[in-house]
Amino acid sequence: MLRLCSFLAVLVGLVVGTAIDEAPARPVEMRAGYRVLQADFHVHTRFSDGLLTPCDLSVLARRRGLDVIAVTEHNTVFPALLARACAKLIDAAPLVIIGEEITTKRAHVLGLGIHSTVDARMPLADAVLAVHRQGGVVIAAHPTEMFYAGLDPICEELDGIEIMHPLAFRGESPIGSYAEIEAFARDRCPSAGAMLGNSDYHGGSVLGLVRTFVFATDLSEPALIDAIREGRTLTFDPDGNAIGPPALAESLRAEPLATRDVHYDYRPLGALDRITRLIGFFGVVGLVMFGLGGRRRATSSAT
Amino acid sequence: MVRDFFSDEVRVLIRPVKGYVRLMEAPLASPERAVLSRVLLLLAVIGAAGSFSSAGRLVLHHMVFVPVGWLALPLLQAAGLFVSLRFTDKPPPQLRALELYLAGNGPFFLFALGLSAVLLLASDVSATFGWLLASGLLVAFGFFTMGWSWLTSYGFYKSCAGCRPGKAARLVVLEWAVKIGLALVWYQTINNLLPQFVGTR
């Protein structure tokens, strides 16, 4: 009886949870002659150190009101290819850019808009060249002090910097501090083009918490890569200050984008949501407490 | 006949050695079905935790795909178990051993459900997690989970494979070495290890 109740509770939580799992509208909005797209270009999967599969990411990105994600697994593009294939099966899925976080001891760089894996064992300068040969762009990922020595020699070859990162909210982490990222962009590599903000998503609800506003000609991978190459990107710091070309920032100030109703704080959408998510949770607890099936015959010594 | 009230996972979680003794005493109708139900429970808990952490509620898409991404976990567990069983004197039949061993996943369930409870019940999730991290409680909870899972494995080798305490402890170490070793092989295969920790040419 208790098993049945637990199973039914999970079922109720699942049916209602799936039904009310809404995604915000993503209207087409033009500014400064370009379509403004909201993107997160740094996303990981279960293949290495992320929580979700490539097939989960499109659903989460849609929930977070993103038009574009780049799946950038450490040193392989395979999960990104899988994510793109899955996205084709999901209604209103965001565009998936094929990417890779070329992860080495000396530096981490994002290769975006590529189609095959760039071998991270080659010297970084060669890896950058390999990305460019595939028609992609290279972004310095979270360039904190520990990566300066690796990034300095390729500064001229970078197409952009991940200037905003969840580090900006936390201040510090084992890889360094946000102040070090700012110092890299300001003092060491001021010539690197586009300013990007990415969540470096590994798990939780925070996909798109830090995002990039791309001013592209249309919603396509070539248009996005062109926009990055030409520096037509904006991001915002935690205080809401724009980082990027002043003209683009001004276009958003003059005519702000429609708000996309996105919650990162696990706030219930209403009473029904609050109740059914608890029902679902306690259903799962019940399954653990009472088991999935009565396959073991009890004995008199069993307690 | 006293009917079992709690699941085998809970009984092993609460008393690892004695819990496994009880499970060994109880006859089993179908080991295949038992293994399947244990794996399904593990994947259901993982799917639920993944769904709660990304959507805040149970969502069908995550409940299906998150477990697919974590299928390697029961496979790693089985690999570690079967290697360790080769060094026991009285190993149970393989399927029986697997279903008994998987009954020791209670500590991981506790961890997954504990984190999910914070996500669902805390009034300010971000602040609560910040406090849990800063206070070291989250890390302590992780270590507690790991330590308790070692205890359940120890209980398995002692009660179900007839090992003496010292040998049971050594087999726990061997089992974890196999699991960690296989995980490292995977990460090296997808080129995640050497470039990151040793460097490039």
Side-chain angles (χ1 to χ4, degrees):
Chain A
M1 185 63 185
L2 286 167
R3 284 185 188 123
L4 182 64
C5 288
S6 304
F7 182 75
L8 287 175
V10 170
L11 202 61
V12 168
L14 193 59
V15 169
V16 179
T18 305
I20 64 177
D21 184 44
E22 290 178 349
R26 303 194 309 253
V28 174
E29 294 185 273
M30 305 295 289
R31 300 287 184 280
Y34 295 103
R35 181 171 174 184
V36 185
L37 299 166
Q38 301 190 24
D40 189 335
F41 291 113
H42 191 169
V43 178
H44 292 281
T45 75
R46 181 72 222 108
F47 271 79
S48 66
D49 51 358
L51 172 71
L52 299 181
T53 64
C55 292
D56 286 297
L57 290 173
S58 291
V59 171
L60 180 56
R62 186 180 62 183
R63 190 180 297 131
R64 295 293 168 244
L66 290 165
D67 302 298
V68 182
I69 56 169
V71 176
T72 53
E73 197 52 279
H74 300 288
N75 301 341
T76 174
V77 296
F78 178 69
L81 296 169
L82 207 53
R84 178 175 278 183
C86 268
K88 287 181 181 157
L89 306 175
I90 294 166
D91 183 42
L95 177 69
V96 175
I97 302 277
I98 308 297
E100 173 184 349
E101 183 175 10
I102 301 167
T103 310
T104 74
K105 192 178 177 186
R106 299 183 66 216
H108 296 192
V109 295
L110 304 174
L112 306 175
I114 56 180
H115 47 80
S116 62
T117 296
V118 173
D119 190 345
R121 289 169 296 188
M122 66 172 73
L124 204 52
D126 293 350
V128 169
L129 199 59
V131 172
H132 284 151
R133 278 191 184 137
Q134 291 191 39
V137 289
V138 180
I139 311 297
H142 43 69
T144 52
E145 191 174 353
M146 65 186 288
F147 301 127
Y148 284 175
L151 291 171
D152 281 343
I154 60 164
C155 170
E156 295 297 319
E157 314 304 323
L158 292 173
D159 299 289
I161 295 178
E162 189 176 72
I163 182 84
M164 284 305 302
H165 185 271
L167 260 178
F169 292 84
R170 295 202 298 265
E172 289 202 38
S173 85
I175 62 167
S177 70
Y178 177 60
E180 294 166 10
I181 296 179
E182 284 184 308
F184 178 79
R186 186 183 58 238
D187 306 327
R188 301 182 82 95
C189 198
S191 60
M195 294 290 126
L196 272 60
N198 301 319
S199 69
D200 194 358
Y201 179 79
H202 286 79
S205 74
V206 294
L207 181 70
L209 175 65
V210 180
R211 59 183 67 190
T212 305
F213 295 80
V214 188
F215 291 69
T217 51
D218 58 68
L219 178 56
S220 67
E221 183 168 301
L224 279 148
I225 298 302
D226 279 349
I228 293 173
R229 201 176 279 125
E230 293 165 16
R232 282 185 268 116
T233 61
L234 272 185
T235 187
F236 292 87
D237 70 14
D239 297 324
N241 301 309
I243 303 172
L248 299 183
E250 181 52 36
S251 74
L252 292 191
R253 248 195 307 273
E255 192 182 352
L257 297 172
T259 304
R260 296 184 181 181
D261 200 15
V262 178
H263 306 290
Y264 294 100
D265 55 1
Y266 300 96
R267 193 164 13 116
L269 296 174
L272 179 68
D273 189 22
R274 184 188 298 276
I275 291 167
T276 52
R277 53 205 268 179
L278 287 177
I279 288 174
F281 172 72
F282 285 110
V284 178
V285 171
L287 290 183
V288 169
M289 295 284 284
F290 309 117
L292 270 190
R295 83 265 125 15
R296 188 184 297 283
R297 287 195 292 276
T299 65
S300 56
S301 60
T303 54
Chain B
M1 295 281 278
V2 179
R3 199 185 190 296
D4 294 335
F5 187 71
F6 289 114
S7 66
D8 296 343
E9 284 81 357
V10 171
R11 293 158 74 194
V12 170
L13 174 72
I14 294 170
R15 302 174 79 177
V17 175
K18 216 160 193 173
Y20 269 126
V21 170
R22 297 283 190 224
L23 295 193
M24 281 293 281
E25 287 170 353
L28 191 61
S30 161
E32 294 87 355
R33 203 174 145 214
V35 168
L36 186 66
S37 75
R38 295 223 192 284
V39 172
L40 282 177
L41 181 60
L42 173 64
L43 295 178
V45 172
I46 290 171
S51 190
F52 284 131
S53 74
S54 51
R57 60 184 70 85
L58 295 180
V59 174
L60 184 62
H61 190 95
H62 297 313
M63 285 293 283
V64 171
F65 282 102
V66 173
V68 170
W70 286 81
L71 269 176
L73 187 61
L75 293 177
L76 276 181
Q77 289 186 320
L81 168 71
F82 290 142
V83 170
S84 293
L85 278 181
R86 294 175 70 89
F87 298 92
T88 59
D89 300 325
K90 290 181 283 183
Q94 284 201 335
L95 269 181
R96 171 81 159 143
L98 184 58
E99 79 90 11
L100 285 166
Y101 174 83
L102 290 173
N105 274 329
F108 297 114
F109 295 163
L110 196 62
F111 185 77
L113 293 174
L115 293 191
S116 300
V118 173
L119 298 176
L120 296 181
L121 301 175
S123 57
D124 185 339
V125 172
S126 176
T128 306
F129 264 105
W131 176 78
L132 286 171
L133 271 173
S135 63
L137 282 174
L138 194 58
V139 176
F141 190 25
F143 279 118
F144 171 81
T145 301
M146 194 67 74
W148 206 260
S149 77
W150 291 340
L151 268 183
T152 60
S153 291
Y154 171 84
F156 168 82
Y157 292 114
K158 190 166 182 295
S159 305
C160 304
C163 297
R164 290 176 178 280
K167 184 164 187 178
R170 286 196 295 278
L171 288 176
V172 173
V173 173
L174 173 65
E175 175 205 315
W176 275 84
V178 171
K179 288 192 280 196
I180 292 170
L182 285 174
L184 291 177
V185 167
W186 163 255
Y187 284 115
Q188 179 51 31
T189 304
I190 60 170
N191 204 15
N192 267 213
L193 287 182
L194 288 184
Q196 191 160 1
F197 297 106
V198 179
T200 53
R201 286 197 294 268

